[in-house]
Amino acid sequence: MPVPEPHATGLLVKLIAVGVCRSDHNLLTNENQPAWFQDKFTLGHEGCGRIVGLGSKVPPSAGYKVGDVIALLAVPGCGSQACEECAADLAQLCTKAHRSGIGNDGFYASHCVIDMRGAVHVPEGVSPSQAAVATDAVTTAYHAIHRRGKVTSKDTVFLFGLGGLGFNALQVIRAIGARVLVSDVKQENLNDAAKIGVSKADIVPVGKSIRDWVDENGWSDKISIVADFVGTEQTFSDAQHIGMLNDRRFDQSSHRCSSSSG
Ligand SMILES: [Zn+2]
Ligand SMILES: [Zn+2]
């Protein structure tokens, strides 16, 4: 791949770390891509790299200089208040701006250009690999729990699924200070949840009916939010069942990644 030229408000970045997302597989195999996708583009939408060049209109006040290590947000949007999606704080749905690795050239290359709106300085103590996946796998889970679910420390959350996104959701919920009950079909994922401090009493044994477990343990009127990071018919209907039991705040979020679905 040739080294691209930064546009006026773009940063030229030499990549250090790039995550692999399940969406990459979807992008490779889906035959019905949106019309605004380029015919050919480089994949990779979770990136971290070092700034090696600045566009002509990146102001010093933006705080970016050659040598800085930045995390790269693949879908920062165009930022215009005249843009329906960006004005509604849904930049990931904006089709006017460059979408790195999702229809436009992304991060599986030696260099990329990112608009300064999509750059975030990586704090000390965070590795480039961690920073790269934080832009998608972590952010998606964070938005589901914090913004859609509005989880607070007073909540008791039932969490379906401890895969790539679900396990991040678990850590976000615990960081908020809410109690979390977890379910997964893989014992090793439940063991990992126990390792980070989820008590045995809050883990549904593999194979146990969710409805029975919730009823038998007296959780039916205590669960305030259900977060579904699996998105199958079974978990969705179990989630609705819990929601109807207590008739309280109920939200669901799918495991699809923010960059492709919002
Ligand atoms: Zn993704
Ligand atoms: Zn926009």
Side-chain angles (χ1 to χ4, degrees):
M1 295 298 297
V3 175
E5 280 289 320
H7 57 273
T9 57
L11 308 172
L12 178 62
V13 175
K14 185 167 175 25
L15 286 146
I16 303 170
V18 186
V20 179
C21 180
R22 185 64 165 80
S23 302
D24 290 325
H25 181 260
N26 292 343
L27 288 160
L28 280 171
T29 52
N30 186 354
E31 287 172 7
N32 300 308
Q33 304 291 18
W36 46 268
F37 270 39
Q38 288 172 215
D39 286 344
K40 286 185 180 175
F41 60 91
T42 313
L43 286 171
H45 58 266
E46 306 180 350
C48 175
R50 192 181 301 279
I51 297 174
V52 294
L54 302 172
S56 58
K57 288 198 174 138
V58 176
S61 60
Y64 298 110
K65 59 184 193 308
V66 169
D68 288 355
V69 175
I70 53 171
L72 310 168
L73 182 58
V75 285
C78 69
S80 165
Q81 284 305 300
C83 168
E84 200 179 325
E85 285 81 14
C86 291
D89 203 11
L90 294 168
Q92 73 272 25
L93 302 179
C94 171
T95 57
K96 296 173 194 77
H98 187 90
R99 298 165 58 107
S100 301
I102 307 159
N104 305 123
D105 282 339
F107 307 143
Y108 294 161
S110 65
H111 294 76
C112 71
V113 170
I114 188 92
D115 191 84
M116 61 180 186
R117 302 185 63 257
V120 178
H121 280 112
V122 177
E124 217 163 298
V126 176
S127 74
S129 309
Q130 291 167 335
V133 297
T135 62
D136 185 17
V138 178
T139 317
T140 303
Y142 177 79
H143 277 232
I145 296 303
H146 179 69
R147 211 157 97 176
R148 304 263 329 254
K150 297 186 168 50
V151 172
T152 72
S153 60
K154 294 186 181 71
D155 282 309
T156 296
V157 182
F158 192 101
L159 173 63
F160 286 98
L162 295 173
L165 297 195
F167 209 86
N168 282 311
L170 172 63
Q171 294 170 89
V172 172
I173 295 166
R174 285 174 56 79
I176 289 169
R179 185 153 185 184
V180 57
L181 315 172
V182 298
S183 153
D184 196 274
V185 293
K186 285 187 186 159
Q187 185 61 47
E188 61 189 89
N189 291 351
L190 298 174
N191 293 346
D192 285 342
K195 265 185 226 159
I196 65 161
V198 178
S199 81
K200 243 200 162 113
D202 295 350
I203 297 175
V204 184
V206 171
K208 177 80 182 171
S209 148
I210 302 294
R211 297 177 192 203
D212 290 350
W213 185 84
V214 166
D215 290 342
E216 288 164 17
N217 292 280
W219 283 114
S220 47
D221 60 346
K222 296 191 184 76
I223 296 165
S224 49
I225 294 180
V226 178
D228 182 359
F229 279 80
V230 181
T232 62
E233 196 175 339
Q234 182 67 54
T235 57
F236 191 67
S237 87
D238 283 340
Q240 286 183 307
H241 180 77
I242 294 170
M244 282 184 287
L245 281 176
N246 62 23
D247 199 24
R248 281 196 284 167
R249 199 142 57 98
F250 173 56
D251 204 346
Q252 69 88 27
S253 52
S254 84
H255 68 187
R256 288 168 300 176
C257 93
S258 65
S259 44
S260 60
S261 71

